[in-house]
Amino acid sequence: MAKCKKHLLIGSTGFLGSEIAKDLCSRNQVVFGTYHRHHKKGFSLSGSVRMFQLDVRNRQGMERLVARIKPDYIYYLAAQSSVRLSWANPVETININLVGGINLLEIAKKLALRSKIIIFSSGTIYGETHNHKQKVFESDRLEPKDPYSISKAALDSFARIYAKNFKLNICVVRPCNIVGRNQSKTFSIANFAYQIKNISLGKQKPIIDVGNLSASRDYIDVRDAIQAISEVSGKGKPGEAYNIGRGKPVKIGHALKEIIELSKIEKIKVRKNEAFTSKDEILRMALASGKMKQLSGWEPRIPLRQTLNDMLR
Amino acid sequence: MAKCKKHLLIGSTGFLGSEIAKDLCSRNQVVFGTYHRHHKKGFSLSGSVRMFQLDVRNRQGMERLVARIKPDYIYYLAAQSSVRLSWANPVETININLVGGINLLEIAKKLALRSKIIIFSSGTIYGETHNHKQKVFESDRLEPKDPYSISKAALDSFARIYAKNFKLNICVVRPCNIVGRNQSKTFSIANFAYQIKNISLGKQKPIIDVGNLSASRDYIDVRDAIQAISEVSGKGKPGEAYNIGRGKPVKIGHALKEIIELSKIEKIKVRKNEAFTSKDEILRMALASGKMKQLSGWEPRIPLRQTLNDMLR
């Protein structure tokens, strides 16, 4: 990636946004970020990321910002990202994930942007299809099973038809379950790590509350994910969607067992908590990422065990 | 259908809504309708349809109405129904077609409604899939090509997951191109009929403006469509989607030629008008409706020629 390119991260204060920002800063890129309500203190990386408040449902505000910055790269990361919360508030999920994304696409069309635009979809959009195939390919059927995944499937379709019809340089990424340090404890593995740390500090009894342990997930380390996103921003073809995953599903219960083992704390009990489960979950998720490998040689490099170990530190 | 059931048509002043209302009234059903801005005069069918103003984006207003009427049947017909206009205003299309529909589903969940709910999706949601198959089945891949079709595909998915997760009695119908008298002239065949009538009255020169004539469409008469909808409201299984079509695609240009022939006006010229074409249209549409036949024996009965003839009267 050439030096001194301008990157705009729309929705930059989440897990992935923060990590992408750090990575871009470390490579001397010029980074702009937006936040909605919660601007994490200390996030501005000693002033390297210029932060703006933005509600993605406000198209005019977004247009002013894009027109002012003239970014070379735009990443649409703004999302209500919890499947569980999407059942509680589907309309808000549609407004942030889909309508906010359409606002960006409409701005790109109106201003005839030449920026590379990366739209963040999700491996969950294949939904029920995961249950019928060893691995799902980008060309497989989308059969989303929850409001979050429907919002992402719709945005994914919008991004591809806008790329095609208006000759915009848009790529879609469909990540599997990304795990790593600094992740919000609304996600299962991060939640396990958080509880284990509390147990080791004596803040919590040696009992871990868990949701459904029998489902399988396709986990990759956030550093591998960031590498993949960087490859797509450099080489991705307009209008194409790229799976980002390992394709080797791991049972949530297996990951829990492994992280407990790595913690070296003895006698941790596991307790099922219904509040941690979601409706009609995907039972088994595995993304074929041959298209990414073909694009750039990308493959995940960090084993899950190493990620889990890092998350305990 | 038993007598004196209560039917609520959300979005009742469009072509299909009006025709369903007339049919229900003729069968002595109790019919309630909503309209947004445009309440057609004379629509109330001598007082048989009780009309209420409602913006489907206003969930509270919709909830009050549903709670007050306690309908046995609810039809979600509210839509921005033009593919062309959906490119001009995708967010409004999402808000009316999708968010309005989610509002109804959320109300059904909250009030634990036992009403039969019919959600109007569209045969266009298969999009690109139409170009690769002789006929599309309900189980085929959804690959929408325009904002209207994405809004309908998302609502279709929402309706099915709500039926499954909350045990609601919801069916989805996916109609092909419905044609008939009283249809808005934003739709091609109705537009041809309108222009021909104007020519015969001397209000228009004998030149018909047309869009793309080479694409094929699956046309059925509105009376056949209403029969199918009535079968689904009676026998449709919760959570299921039903194609409503003939499965025999006809070129738009062929339908034009036929309606000109039926008009018996000589020397009508045809002129291509770019304003009548839409972006990235489906080239060939054909819905397999074996699932409807299996459900109730339903099949379309009225030949296209008869429909076209009736539209000229």
Side-chain angles (χ1 to χ4, degrees):
Chain A
M1 196 179 287
K3 276 192 181 170
C4 284
K5 293 286 186 183
K6 289 186 283 186
H7 301 255
L8 171 60
L9 280 61
I10 296 175
S12 66
T13 58
F15 171 50
L16 200 53
S18 315
E19 297 299 317
I20 294 173
K22 280 185 210 164
D23 175 66
L24 290 169
C25 288
S26 76
R27 294 192 280 131
N28 298 314
Q29 302 291 301
V30 183
V31 187
F32 303 85
T34 79
Y35 65 100
H36 181 201
R37 275 187 296 258
H38 312 293
H39 182 187
K40 280 185 196 164
K41 274 183 190 168
F43 174 67
S44 64
L45 303 167
S46 316
S48 308
V49 179
R50 277 162 258 186
M51 296 294 288
F52 299 89
Q53 188 171 23
L54 176 71
D55 184 332
V56 294
R57 291 164 288 194
N58 170 7
R59 187 188 301 182
Q60 284 191 317
M62 199 193 290
E63 185 176 330
R64 273 195 299 272
L65 190 67
V66 169
R68 181 175 155 193
I69 294 175
K70 297 189 180 66
D72 299 293
Y73 299 88
I74 303 175
Y75 307 77
Y76 190 77
L77 292 144
Q80 189 301 95
S81 61
S82 155
V83 168
R84 204 160 58 232
L85 292 180
S86 80
W87 282 110
N89 202 338
V91 169
E92 189 177 83
T93 303
I94 289 292
N95 282 332
I96 297 171
N97 299 8
L98 176 57
V99 174
I102 297 172
N103 282 339
L104 174 61
L105 298 172
E106 282 281 287
I107 291 163
K109 172 189 159 194
K110 181 180 168 190
L111 304 181
L113 292 187
R114 313 198 66 158
S115 327
K116 180 86 170 217
I117 299 172
I118 310 290
I119 296 292
F120 286 77
S121 176
S122 169
T124 65
I125 63 173
Y126 302 104
E128 193 61 28
T129 304
H130 282 293
N131 295 335
H132 304 298
K133 297 201 69 177
Q134 279 295 100
K135 292 182 191 182
V136 297
F137 291 84
E138 287 83 351
S139 55
D140 277 323
R141 182 181 163 76
L142 309 183
E143 188 62 43
K145 293 171 71 133
D146 57 77
Y148 165 79
S149 303
I150 295 174
S151 75
K152 288 291 189 181
L155 178 61
D156 188 301
S157 297
F158 257 102
R160 288 179 286 121
I161 67 170
Y162 268 61
K164 184 176 175 190
N165 283 279
F166 306 113
K167 307 266 178 286
L168 297 168
N169 196 357
I170 302 169
C171 287
V172 175
V173 291
R174 298 175 178 169
C176 65
N177 287 52
I178 300 171
V179 282
R181 297 190 68 186
N182 306 317
Q183 189 170 16
S184 152
K185 60 181 195 286
T186 55
F187 295 90
S188 57
I189 304 288
N191 191 280
F192 301 158
Y194 171 83
Q195 293 191 62
I196 289 171
K197 278 192 239 176
N198 276 346
I199 292 168
S200 74
L201 295 168
K203 286 187 194 168
Q204 178 174 331
K205 286 183 192 167
I207 301 170
I208 295 187
D209 282 306
V210 300
N212 180 9
L213 295 179
S214 63
S216 293
R217 293 287 174 266
D218 186 348
Y219 294 111
I220 63 168
D221 191 283
V222 65
R223 292 159 286 190
D224 277 328
I226 282 166
Q227 184 58 38
I229 292 157
S230 169
E231 298 292 0
V232 173
S233 73
K235 297 176 187 157
K237 297 189 180 80
E240 291 297 317
Y242 297 93
N243 283 348
I244 299 177
R246 198 190 306 267
K248 290 180 185 147
V250 170
K251 278 211 166 137
I252 299 174
H254 176 82
L256 172 64
K257 204 179 140 200
E258 197 141 316
I259 199 168
I260 289 174
E261 208 179 285
L262 287 163
S263 78
K264 294 185 177 123
I265 307 173
E266 280 170 20
K267 294 176 191 164
I268 288 183
K269 277 188 191 164
V270 170
R271 179 170 63 191
K272 180 106 183 186
N273 185 334
E274 284 305 322
F276 284 46
T277 63
S278 183
K279 290 192 175 292
D280 198 26
E281 279 182 276
I282 294 167
L283 299 179
R284 184 186 171 286
M285 201 169 142
L287 296 180
S289 60
K291 196 169 167 183
M292 273 303 302
K293 186 164 186 197
Q294 207 168 19
L295 182 73
S296 69
W298 179 87
E299 278 182 311
R301 298 185 187 282
I302 302 170
L304 180 60
R305 196 174 171 83
Q306 187 185 327
T307 306
L308 296 175
N309 202 35
D310 293 348
M311 287 172 83
L312 287 172
R313 280 187 293 129
Chain B
M1 196 179 287
K3 276 193 183 172
C4 284
K5 293 286 184 184
K6 287 186 284 187
H7 301 255
L8 172 60
L9 279 61
I10 296 175
S12 65
T13 57
F15 170 51
L16 200 53
S18 314
E19 296 299 316
I20 294 173
K22 280 185 212 164
D23 176 65
L24 290 169
C25 288
S26 76
R27 292 192 282 130
N28 297 313
Q29 302 291 300
V30 183
V31 186
F32 303 84
T34 79
Y35 65 100
H36 181 203
R37 275 188 295 258
H38 312 293
H39 182 186
K40 279 186 196 164
K41 275 186 189 165
F43 175 67
S44 64
L45 303 167
S46 317
S48 309
V49 179
R50 275 163 258 185
M51 297 294 289
F52 299 88
Q53 189 172 23
L54 175 72
D55 183 332
V56 294
R57 290 164 288 194
N58 170 6
R59 187 188 300 181
Q60 283 190 319
M62 200 193 291
E63 184 176 331
R64 272 196 300 272
L65 189 67
V66 169
R68 182 175 154 192
I69 293 176
K70 297 188 180 67
D72 299 292
Y73 298 89
I74 303 175
Y75 307 77
Y76 190 77
L77 293 144
Q80 188 301 95
S81 61
S82 156
V83 167
R84 204 160 58 230
L85 292 179
S86 80
W87 282 110
N89 202 339
V91 169
E92 189 179 84
T93 303
I94 289 292
N95 282 332
I96 296 171
N97 298 9
L98 176 58
V99 173
I102 297 172
N103 282 339
L104 174 61
L105 298 172
E106 282 281 288
I107 291 164
K109 172 189 160 194
K110 181 179 168 190
L111 304 180
L113 292 187
R114 312 198 67 159
S115 327
K116 180 84 170 223
I117 299 171
I118 311 290
I119 296 291
F120 285 76
S121 177
S122 168
T124 65
I125 64 173
Y126 301 104
E128 193 60 28
T129 304
H130 281 292
N131 295 335
H132 303 300
K133 297 200 70 177
Q134 278 295 101
K135 292 181 192 184
V136 297
F137 292 84
E138 287 83 352
S139 55
D140 276 323
R141 181 181 165 75
L142 309 184
E143 188 61 44
K145 293 171 71 133
D146 57 77
Y148 166 79
S149 303
I150 296 174
S151 75
K152 288 291 186 180
L155 178 62
D156 188 301
S157 298
F158 257 101
R160 288 179 287 118
I161 68 170
Y162 269 61
K164 184 177 176 191
N165 283 279
F166 306 114
K167 308 265 178 288
L168 297 168
N169 196 358
I170 302 168
C171 287
V172 175
V173 291
R174 298 175 177 169
C176 64
N177 288 52
I178 300 171
V179 282
R181 297 191 69 184
N182 306 317
Q183 188 169 17
S184 152
K185 62 180 195 285
T186 56
F187 294 91
S188 57
I189 304 289
N191 190 279
F192 300 157
Y194 171 82
Q195 292 191 65
I196 289 171
K197 278 192 239 175
N198 277 346
I199 291 169
S200 74
L201 295 168
K203 287 187 192 170
Q204 181 174 329
K205 286 182 194 166
I207 301 170
I208 295 187
D209 280 306
V210 300
N212 180 8
L213 295 179
S214 63
S216 293
R217 294 288 175 264
D218 188 347
Y219 294 111
I220 63 169
D221 191 283
V222 64
R223 292 158 286 188
D224 278 327
I226 282 168
Q227 184 58 37
I229 292 158
S230 169
E231 298 293 359
V232 173
S233 74
K235 297 176 188 157
K237 298 191 180 77
E240 292 296 318
Y242 297 92
N243 283 348
I244 299 178
R246 198 190 307 265
K248 289 179 187 149
V250 170
K251 279 213 167 135
I252 300 175
H254 176 81
L256 172 64
K257 203 180 141 201
E258 197 142 315
I259 198 168
I260 289 176
E261 207 179 285
L262 287 163
S263 77
K264 293 182 181 129
I265 308 175
E266 280 170 20
K267 293 176 191 162
I268 289 183
K269 276 188 191 164
V270 169
R271 178 170 63 190
K272 181 107 181 183
N273 185 335
E274 284 305 322
F276 284 46
T277 63
S278 183
K279 289 192 175 293
D280 200 25
E281 279 183 276
I282 295 168
L283 299 179
R284 185 187 170 285
M285 201 169 142
L287 296 179
S289 59
K291 197 169 167 183
M292 273 304 301
K293 185 162 188 197
Q294 207 167 20
L295 181 74
S296 69
W298 178 86
E299 277 182 313
R301 298 187 188 282
I302 301 170
L304 180 60
R305 197 174 170 85
Q306 185 183 331
T307 306
L308 296 176
N309 202 34
D310 292 347
M311 287 172 84
L312 286 173
R313 279 189 292 130

